Amino acid sequence: MPIYAAPLRDMRFVLNELAGTAALRALPGCEELGPDLIDPVLEGAATFCTEVLLPLNQSGDSEGCTLANGAVRTPQGFREAYDGFRAGGWTALAADPQWGGQGLPKSLGALVEEMICSANLAFGMYPGLSHGAYMAIAKHGSADQQALYLPKLASGEWSGTMCLTEPQCGTDLGLIRTRAAPEPDGSFRITGGKIFISAGEHDLAENIIHLVLAKLPDAPPGTRGISLFVVPKFLPTAAGRPGARNAVTCTGLEHKMGIKASATCAMAFDGATGWLVGRPHRGLAAMFTMMNEARLGVGVQGLGIAEVAYQNAVAYARDRLQGRGLDGAAAPDKPADPILVHPDIRRMLLTMRAMTEGCRALAALVAQAHDVGQRHPDAAARQAADDYVQLMTPIIKALFTDTGWEAAGLGMQVWGGHGYIRDNGMEQFARDARITQIYEGTNGIQALDLVGRKLGTHAGRYLRSFFHPALAFIEAQSEVPAMEPFLLPLSKAFGRLQQVTAEVARRGLSDPFEAGAAASDYLRLFGLTALAFAWARMAEIALRQGPEPEGFYKAKLATARFFMQRILPETSSLAAKCLAGGETLREMDAALF
Amino acid sequence: MPIYAAPLRDMRFVLNELAGTAALRALPGCEELGPDLIDPVLEGAATFCTEVLLPLNQSGDSEGCTLANGAVRTPQGFREAYDGFRAGGWTALAADPQWGGQGLPKSLGALVEEMICSANLAFGMYPGLSHGAYMAIAKHGSADQQALYLPKLASGEWSGTMCLTEPQCGTDLGLIRTRAAPEPDGSFRITGGKIFISAGEHDLAENIIHLVLAKLPDAPPGTRGISLFVVPKFLPTAAGRPGARNAVTCTGLEHKMGIKASATCAMAFDGATGWLVGRPHRGLAAMFTMMNEARLGVGVQGLGIAEVAYQNAVAYARDRLQGRGLDGAAAPDKPADPILVHPDIRRMLLTMRAMTEGCRALAALVAQAHDVGQRHPDAAARQAADDYVQLMTPIIKALFTDTGWEAAGLGMQVWGGHGYIRDNGMEQFARDARITQIYEGTNGIQALDLVGRKLGTHAGRYLRSFFHPALAFIEAQSEVPAMEPFLLPLSKAFGRLQQVTAEVARRGLSDPFEAGAAASDYLRLFGLTALAFAWARMAEIALRQGPEPEGFYKAKLATARFFMQRILPETSSLAAKCLAGGETLREMDAALF
C-alpha cells in the first residue's frame, strides 16, 4: 500500500520562511497566526490524512460508488471518514466564524488541501465541492440564504455541488438549455439535465445543496443570459431541517478512469424548486468570482498527487536492489545496489521533487496574496494582491495539474513493471491526476484565459504584479556571488518571458488566433519562470542558514540547482514555439486532418 | 465506441515512396514484393483489425482475464478472434516458408503489427509473444527443436512466452534464481518462480511453449551464468502432439492499469521438464539477439496507440460544437463551431499527427534496414544495414512509446471531460500505452543502451549509419529553395546532435555516470532529429508531386512544417539539459531524498 507523510517541514518553510507569516498577521482575523495555531492545524490534518484518508484511497478506487434506486453509496469507510472529517472541524476551516467556521486564511487552508489531495483525492472532492457552494452563497446569496445554508455547509451537515455542464456544453456555457420558470411565491421551477456533477448524490450528508446554472424565460442568448439558482435535494423546513424531497434526481453514475470514489452524477431536474442566487442573467459572472479559488484548488490537487507519487517513488528507489552504480558498488554487501544510485532514476526523482517543491512554494506565495486580496483593510493593497492572484490562477491550475500527471507517470516509471500493477497503487495516482488537467476549465482554456484575459487587461497591470517583483529581486541579488548559479538561469528565462510576452501580446491584438496559437506554450513558459523565481527566493533563504544537522537547506539548494540546470532550459524551446506563430496551425484544411 | 481505419494511404507512402520497395525486391525471397502482394496483405489486415479486433478492445478491457484452477480464460470473443487470426495466416506472416510461414519482410509485417496495436493492443500480445518464442528457437534452437516447435508456432496452434522476470529481478537479470538441473536423458528440471509473464497461460492455443531463463548448477554468477530453456506446457509426444502435462502452472494473474485482456501471469516451475536452447550460460546473449526485434515491436505498439488516439481525437474535434473560432464563425448556421477551429485543439491534433506520421516513417526506414540486414546476400551490406537498426532500436522503443503515451493523453484532452469516461474509450488508450514505456527494457534502459552500447562501439560505426546519410541529404538539398523551411531546422537540430554526441561520448569515457546523466535527454534529442530527417525526406517527396485532388501531399507538407516549427525546437532544451552534466544528479545525498 502506498505511504504518505505530510511534508510538514517543507510546508512550514514555505509558509513561515518563504511567504512569511508577518504579513498575514497584519490582516484582520489573522492576528493570532503563530506556531501555536499553525502547528496543531498542520499536524492534526497530517494525522487525519495518513491515518484515516490514505487507507481508504485504494479501497475506494476498487469499490467505486454505486447507484441503486436513485441513491448513491460511497465506498466502505467513506461515511465514517466524512463524519471524522466534520468532527475534526476540517469542513469549517476556511468558513466565516459568523457561520461557525474557523476563519483560517487560505495560506493555511491550501496546505491542508494539499495533504487531503495526496492522501485521497476522490474523498477530497466532497468537501471541496461543498466549499464551492459555500463560497457561491457567501458571495452572492441573500442574507436569508446565507443564514439558512452557510452554517450547514460549514459544519458539513449538508454538502454542495456546482451544476454547470450539460451534454451539449462544457466549456461553452452559453449553450446551456436548463430552464428556470418563475413561480408566484418568488421561487423557480428548474428543468433540465446536467452531467459530470461531482458529489451530485451520495450518502455522506443529510442534504445536498445544488448550485445550478439555468436560463430564465427572458434570458438573452449566450453567456449573458445565464442565472444561478440554489436547489436543495430536500427543501429546508422553517426550522432549517431537511423537509420535502425536491424533484432533482441522480439518473446515472459515470464510470471513469480514476477518482472512482468520487460520485460523478448525471442529474435530472424535473421542475425542481430553486431560488435565484444573485441577480438575474448574472449567474456566470457569479460563478466566475468563485472560479479563481476553485482553479487554485484544482492546481493544489495536482501538487498533492505529485507529492505522494514522489514519496512512493523515493521509497521504492531506496528498497529496490537492481544493478550496480556507475560510480562503483554502493552496497557491496548486497546482491545489487538500490536503484537510487542510478543517474536516470535520480533524474526522475529530482524532476518530481523540484517541480513539487517549486509548485508548493508558488502556491504559498499566491495563497498569501489571496489572503491579502480578501482581507487587507486598504483597497489598493487588496487590488495589488488580487492582480497577482488573477495572473497566477490559470498558471497554477494548468502547470500544477500537468505536474501531477507527469510526476505520477515518472513515479510509475521508477517502479518499473511493478508500477503498472494496481495493488501497488502507483498507477492510481496517474488515473486520479488525469482529470485535474480537464475539469474546472481544461488546461487549454487556462492558457486562453492567460493570453486573452490576463495579458492585456488594464494595460498589463496584472503582468506587472509578477514582472516588477521578479525584476527587483534579480537586481537586488545581482551582486551576491553565491546567488549566481540561480540568478543567471532565472534572468535568462525572465528575459525570454519578457520578449515573448511583448510579441504574443502584440500579435494577439491584431489577430486573436495568433495569441491562441501560442497560449499553451506561453503558459508553461510563464509557469516555469515563476517557479524559477520561487526557487531563487528559496535558494536565497537557504544560503543564509548556518550549519544544520537535518540537511533541509542543503537539499533545498541541491534541488534548486537541479531545477535551474535540468528543468528551466525547457523555456528556450517554449519561447521558440511561441514565436513560431500560428501559421502552421491555420494552414491545414479541416478536411485533411 | 472508438473508431479505427488503418491509415493505408500513409502506409503505402512510407513503404513504397519513402523507403521504396525496389531495394526490398532485390532481396532473396522478396522478389515478388509488388502491389499485387502488398495491397491484399495490408487491406486484409485492415479489415480484420477493424471488423474483428477493434470491437473486442473495450469489452476485453472491461472483462479482463480470469484465473480458476490454474486455467486462464481470455475475454469473450478472443478465442474466436484468435482462430480467425490464425485462419487468416496472420501468425505465419513473418515465419519462414520452410516452417509453413509466408516469409514476408519486416517492412510489411511492421505495418500489419501497427494495425493490430491500434485495434487491440492486448490481443496483439498473444501472437507477439509467440513470434518472440519462434525467433528464439529459429535462431538458437537445435534442428530437432526447430522441426518440432516452429511449424506449430507459425500456424498459431501453439503459442509462446518469454520467461525472464522474477520478483527480485527485472532489469538486472544477473539476479535470476530459477534453477535448471540436468537429467540423465539430456533434459533439465526447471525450478523457480517467474512473474509478469505475458500469455503465460490462456485458452487460445492447445499448447504453450515457454522460453525460460534459468541457471545451471555450475553457472558463473551474474549475467554470464544464465541459460535458455524451452519448457512446453504439454510435453510433445513423438507425433508432435500435446502429451503429458508439464509441471508449470499459472499461480496468479496481475491486475494491471491496462492491457487487461492480456494475461500477465505469475508462473511456478516445479521441476518442470525443459530442454536447453543454444549453449549453456549463453542464454542472455541468445535473448539479446531477439531483443532488438522485440523492442522494435514495442515501439510499433506505441505508434499504433498514437494513431488510433489521433483518429478518435480528430473525429471528436469535427463533431463537438463548442465556442466560436477566433477568426470568426466557421459554422454560423450551428449553435457553435466544431472545436477543430480552435488553435489549441489544432496544436494538440497536429502534435499527435506529426509525431505519429514521423514515427511511422522512421519505422519504415528501420524495418527496411532490418530486412536488408537479415536477407542481403552481401555481408558488408548486411552489416551496414544492421548498424542502423542497432542504433535506432533503443530510440524507436523509447521515443515511440513515449509518443504513444503522450498522444493518448492529448487525445483525452481533446475530448475534455468525455475523454475521462471509460465508455468513450479514450482513457483506455492511455492505460494500455503506459506499459510500453516500461516493458522490454524501460525507456531509461533504452537510453543507457544508446549512450553505453551504441555510441562508442566500433569507434562510432553505428553512429555513422545515421550521421552520414543525414549529412549527405542536407548537402544535396541545400540548394533547393523549396526545401529551406525543412532543411534549416533539420540542419540546426543535426548540428546540436553532433555537438552533444561528441560531448556526451567524451565525458562518458572518463565517467560513465555522466553518460547516464545525459542518457534520456540525449535519446529524445536523437529521436527528434531522426524524425526531422524523416520529415525532410517526406517533404522532399511531397514537393515533387503534381496537383492531386486527394490533398495527401499537401497535408504532408503542412504537417512537416508544423513538426519543424512546433516540435523540433524542443531539441534546443534537450541539448542544454544534456550538456548541463551530472553534477546536480550526484550532489543530493541519498538520505536527503
Side-chain angles (χ1 to χ4, degrees):
Chain A
M1 203 187 81
I3 55 160
Y4 174 68
L8 292 176
R9 179 67 186 89
D10 200 49
M11 288 181 162
R12 288 197 185 97
F13 170 76
V14 297
L15 179 61
N16 299 327
E17 300 175 63
L18 175 67
T21 39
L24 285 177
R25 277 195 296 272
L27 300 174
C30 295
E31 298 84 355
E32 311 294 314
L33 208 72
D36 290 354
L37 184 63
I38 292 169
D39 289 347
V41 169
L42 291 182
E43 284 158 21
T47 303
F48 189 83
C49 287
T50 299
E51 293 183 0
V52 179
L53 296 186
L54 181 68
L56 295 176
N57 195 38
Q58 275 189 291
S59 60
D61 179 63
S62 305
E63 287 176 44
C65 295
T66 47
L67 170 68
N69 305 319
V72 170
R73 207 178 59 210
T74 56
Q76 216 170 352
F78 269 55
R79 179 66 198 257
E80 293 73 16
Y82 184 76
D83 289 346
F85 193 81
R86 280 185 52 206
W90 302 111
T91 53
L93 208 63
D96 197 311
Q98 120 181 71
W99 309 120
Q102 300 171 42
L104 287 172
K106 189 80 186 163
S107 296
L108 198 50
L111 298 173
V112 174
E113 275 177 53
E114 184 202 314
M115 295 184 210
I116 297 168
C117 297
S118 285
N120 197 323
L121 185 59
F123 178 91
M125 296 295 288
Y126 296 96
L129 268 294
S130 295
H131 183 65
Y134 173 96
M135 294 296 295
I137 297 172
K139 294 214 171 184
H140 303 284
S142 66
D144 284 353
Q145 287 170 342
Q146 293 184 358
L148 173 58
Y149 295 112
L150 296 187
K152 299 290 192 186
L153 288 168
S155 73
E157 280 168 279
W158 297 0
S159 76
T161 76
M162 312 297 288
C163 298
L164 286 69
T165 305
E166 299 181 7
Q168 78 290 351
C169 66
T171 297
D172 186 358
L173 292 170
L175 303 175
I176 275 180
R177 289 186 195 145
T178 298
R179 301 275 152 193
E183 291 288 296
D185 66 356
S187 70
F188 293 82
R189 291 174 66 85
I190 313 291
T191 305
K194 296 283 180 179
I195 61 167
F196 298 168
I197 307 308
S198 298
E201 179 60 43
H202 57 79
D203 54 2
L204 302 182
E206 65 173 26
N207 201 3
I208 300 175
I209 309 307
H210 303 286
L211 275 290
V212 184
L213 291 183
K215 291 190 168 181
L216 290 166
D218 60 343
T223 55
R224 285 160 208 279
I226 299 172
S227 304
L228 181 64
F229 299 88
V230 57
V231 183
K233 176 180 169 185
F234 294 103
L235 298 171
T237 64
R241 299 293 313 151
R245 186 71 166 83
N246 203 353
V248 46
T249 47
C250 172
T251 55
L253 272 183
E254 301 291 352
H255 295 101
K256 311 182 300 293
M257 183 189 207
I259 57 164
K260 290 174 194 251
S262 167
T264 306
C265 303
M267 303 297 295
F269 295 84
D270 299 309
T273 300
W275 291 272
L276 187 67
V277 177
R279 290 160 54 197
H281 314 317
R282 300 300 299 272
L284 208 58
M287 276 287 179
F288 262 93
T289 61
M290 288 170 298
M291 209 69 106
N292 270 346
E293 198 168 337
R295 287 175 172 180
L296 291 174
V298 174
V300 168
Q301 294 181 341
L303 166 57
I305 290 282
E307 170 66 31
V308 72
Y310 171 72
Q311 290 189 18
N312 284 280
V314 168
Y316 188 78
R318 284 192 211 289
D319 263 17
R320 176 75 169 171
L321 307 177
Q322 208 77 179
R324 287 293 179 194
L326 294 169
D327 286 343
D333 53 321
K334 293 190 176 153
D337 288 337
I339 59 172
L340 183 55
V341 304
H342 300 308
D344 199 59
I345 297 286
R346 289 180 156 245
R347 178 190 63 81
M348 292 192 278
L349 294 176
L350 283 164
T351 301
M352 298 167 82
R353 182 187 179 102
M355 289 301 292
T356 302
E357 291 187 3
C359 288
R360 182 175 299 119
L362 184 57
L365 296 167
V366 173
Q368 185 172 85
H370 176 92
D371 289 328
V372 173
Q374 297 286 314
R375 297 176 184 240
H376 202 285
D378 177 54
R382 282 202 305 275
Q383 190 191 71
D386 187 59
D387 283 355
Y388 180 65
V389 176
Q390 292 286 339
L391 177 68
M392 284 297 155
T393 296
I395 293 172
I396 285 192
K397 197 283 181 180
L399 179 72
F400 287 24
T401 59
D402 286 349
T403 296
W405 170 248
E406 287 155 13
L410 288 171
M412 287 181 71
Q413 197 70 17
V414 169
W415 276 65
H418 299 272
Y420 199 63
I421 304 301
R422 292 196 60 161
D423 282 352
N424 294 323
M426 295 304 288
E427 57 88 48
Q428 187 189 342
F429 298 137
R431 288 187 290 104
D432 286 353
R434 190 62 187 81
I435 189 59
T436 64
Q437 300 170 288
I438 295 172
Y439 62 21
E440 210 58 46
T442 65
N443 286 0
I445 291 296
Q446 304 302 321
L448 280 182
D449 177 50
L450 179 63
V451 299
R453 293 206 193 93
K454 304 296 165 67
L455 229 57
T457 308
H458 307 310
R461 203 185 70 203
Y462 291 156
L463 280 177
R464 289 194 290 277
S465 71
F466 173 79
F467 279 49
H468 285 187
L471 202 59
F473 179 87
I474 290 170
E475 280 170 10
Q477 297 291 322
S478 64
E479 304 296 314
V480 184
M483 280 297 289
E484 200 185 286
F486 312 103
L487 218 58
L488 232 56
L490 169 63
S491 307
K492 219 187 237 179
F494 187 76
R496 280 182 190 127
L497 177 63
Q498 280 184 306
Q499 183 207 352
V500 173
T501 300
E503 188 59 24
V504 169
R506 190 188 64 75
R507 293 182 194 174
L509 274 181
S510 59
D511 185 352
F513 189 95
E514 280 293 324
S520 281
D521 290 323
Y522 178 73
L523 183 144
R524 190 167 177 89
L525 168 62
F526 206 142
L528 290 179
T529 308
L531 292 191
F533 182 29
W535 269 115
R537 289 177 65 174
M538 291 194 280
E540 193 270 330
I541 296 167
L543 285 170
R544 281 192 269 114
Q545 311 301 319
E548 28 120 33
E550 193 193 4
F552 177 81
Y553 298 105
K554 198 178 159 207
K556 222 20 129 186
L557 287 167
T559 311
R561 274 188 280 271
F562 176 86
F563 180 87
M564 296 297 172
Q565 291 188 31
R566 299 293 299 242
I567 295 178
L568 195 59
E570 206 191 308
T571 51
S572 73
S573 308
L574 291 165
K577 292 180 189 182
C578 289
L579 297 176
E583 189 45 39
T584 58
L585 297 180
R586 211 180 231 138
E587 179 182 2
M588 185 86 120
D589 292 345
L592 291 180
F593 270 91
Chain B
M1 203 188 79
I3 55 160
Y4 174 69
L8 292 176
R9 179 67 185 89
D10 199 50
M11 288 181 162
R12 288 195 184 98
F13 171 76
V14 297
L15 179 62
N16 299 328
E17 299 175 65
L18 176 67
T21 39
L24 285 177
R25 277 194 295 271
L27 300 174
C30 295
E31 298 82 356
E32 312 293 314
L33 208 72
D36 290 353
L37 184 63
I38 291 170
D39 288 347
V41 169
L42 291 182
E43 284 159 20
T47 303
F48 189 83
C49 287
T50 299
E51 293 183 0
V52 179
L53 296 186
L54 181 68
L56 294 175
N57 195 37
Q58 274 189 293
S59 59
D61 179 64
S62 305
E63 287 177 43
C65 295
T66 47
L67 170 67
N69 306 318
V72 170
R73 209 179 58 209
T74 55
Q76 217 171 350
F78 269 55
R79 178 67 198 256
E80 294 72 17
Y82 184 76
D83 290 345
F85 193 82
R86 280 184 52 205
W90 302 112
T91 54
L93 207 64
D96 196 309
Q98 78 167 296
W99 309 120
Q102 300 172 42
L104 288 173
K106 189 79 186 165
S107 297
L108 197 50
L111 298 173
V112 173
E113 275 176 53
E114 184 202 314
M115 295 183 209
I116 297 167
C117 297
S118 286
N120 197 324
L121 185 59
F123 178 91
M125 296 294 288
Y126 296 96
L129 268 295
S130 296
H131 183 66
Y134 174 97
M135 294 295 295
I137 296 172
K139 294 214 171 185
H140 303 284
S142 66
D144 284 354
Q145 287 170 342
Q146 293 183 358
L148 174 58
Y149 295 111
L150 296 186
K152 298 290 191 185
L153 287 168
S155 72
E157 280 168 277
W158 297 1
S159 76
T161 77
M162 311 298 289
C163 298
L164 287 69
T165 303
E166 299 182 8
Q168 78 290 350
C169 65
T171 297
D172 185 358
L173 292 170
L175 303 175
I176 275 180
R177 290 185 194 143
T178 298
R179 300 275 153 194
E183 291 288 296
D185 67 355
S187 71
F188 294 81
R189 292 175 65 85
I190 313 289
T191 306
K194 296 282 180 179
I195 61 168
F196 298 167
I197 307 308
S198 298
E201 179 59 43
H202 58 80
D203 55 2
L204 302 182
E206 64 173 26
N207 202 2
I208 300 174
I209 310 307
H210 303 286
L211 274 291
V212 184
L213 291 184
K215 291 190 167 180
L216 290 166
D218 60 343
T223 54
R224 284 160 207 279
I226 300 172
S227 305
L228 182 63
F229 298 87
V230 58
V231 183
K233 176 180 170 186
F234 295 102
L235 298 171
T237 63
R241 297 296 312 152
R245 186 70 166 83
N246 204 352
V248 47
T249 47
C250 172
T251 55
L253 272 184
E254 301 291 352
H255 296 99
K256 310 183 299 295
M257 185 189 206
I259 55 164
K260 290 173 194 252
S262 166
T264 305
C265 303
M267 303 297 295
F269 295 83
D270 299 310
T273 300
W275 291 271
L276 187 67
V277 177
R279 291 160 53 198
H281 314 318
R282 300 300 299 273
L284 208 58
M287 276 286 180
F288 262 92
T289 61
M290 288 169 299
M291 208 69 104
N292 270 346
E293 198 167 338
R295 288 175 173 180
L296 292 174
V298 174
V300 168
Q301 294 182 341
L303 166 58
I305 291 282
E307 171 67 31
V308 72
Y310 171 72
Q311 290 190 19
N312 283 280
V314 169
Y316 188 77
R318 285 193 210 287
D319 262 18
R320 176 74 170 173
L321 307 178
Q322 208 78 178
R324 287 292 179 195
L326 294 169
D327 286 343
D333 53 323
K334 293 191 176 153
D337 287 338
I339 60 172
L340 183 55
V341 302
H342 300 307
D344 199 59
I345 297 286
R346 289 180 156 244
R347 177 189 63 82
M348 293 191 278
L349 294 175
L350 283 165
T351 301
M352 299 167 81
R353 182 186 179 103
M355 289 300 292
T356 303
E357 291 187 2
C359 287
R360 182 176 299 120
L362 183 57
L365 296 168
V366 174
Q368 184 171 86
H370 176 93
D371 289 327
V372 173
Q374 297 286 313
R375 298 176 184 241
H376 202 285
D378 177 54
R382 282 202 305 275
Q383 190 192 69
D386 188 58
D387 284 354
Y388 179 64
V389 176
Q390 292 286 338
L391 176 68
M392 284 296 155
T393 295
I395 293 172
I396 285 192
K397 197 282 181 180
L399 179 73
F400 287 24
T401 59
D402 286 349
T403 296
W405 170 247
E406 287 154 13
L410 288 170
M412 286 182 71
Q413 198 69 19
V414 169
W415 275 66
H418 299 272
Y420 199 63
I421 304 301
R422 292 195 61 161
D423 282 352
N424 293 324
M426 295 304 287
E427 58 87 49
Q428 187 189 343
F429 298 138
R431 288 187 292 103
D432 286 354
R434 190 61 186 82
I435 189 59
T436 64
Q437 299 170 290
I438 295 172
Y439 62 21
E440 210 60 45
T442 64
N443 286 0
I445 292 295
Q446 304 303 319
L448 280 182
D449 177 50
L450 179 64
V451 298
R453 294 208 193 92
K454 305 295 165 67
L455 229 57
T457 308
H458 307 310
R461 202 186 72 203
Y462 291 158
L463 280 177
R464 290 194 289 278
S465 71
F466 173 77
F467 278 50
H468 285 187
L471 202 58
F473 178 87
I474 291 170
E475 279 169 11
Q477 297 291 323
S478 64
E479 304 296 315
V480 183
M483 279 297 288
E484 200 185 286
F486 312 103
L487 219 59
L488 231 56
L490 169 64
S491 307
K492 219 187 238 181
F494 186 76
R496 280 182 191 127
L497 177 64
Q498 281 183 306
Q499 182 207 352
V500 172
T501 300
E503 187 59 23
V504 168
R506 191 188 63 75
R507 293 183 195 173
L509 274 182
S510 60
D511 185 353
F513 190 95
E514 280 293 323
S520 281
D521 290 323
Y522 177 75
L523 183 144
R524 191 168 176 88
L525 168 63
F526 207 143
L528 291 179
T529 307
L531 291 191
F533 182 29
W535 268 116
R537 290 177 64 173
M538 292 194 280
E540 193 271 328
I541 295 166
L543 284 169
R544 282 193 269 113
Q545 311 301 317
E548 28 121 34
E550 194 192 3
F552 177 81
Y553 298 104
K554 195 177 162 210
K556 220 22 129 186
L557 287 167
T559 311
R561 273 189 280 270
F562 176 85
F563 180 87
M564 297 296 172
Q565 292 187 31
R566 298 294 299 243
I567 295 179
L568 195 60
E570 206 191 308
T571 52
S572 74
S573 309
L574 291 165
K577 292 180 191 183
C578 290
L579 297 176
E583 188 46 37
T584 57
L585 297 180
R586 212 179 230 140
E587 180 183 1
M588 186 86 118
D589 292 346
L592 292 180
F593 270 90

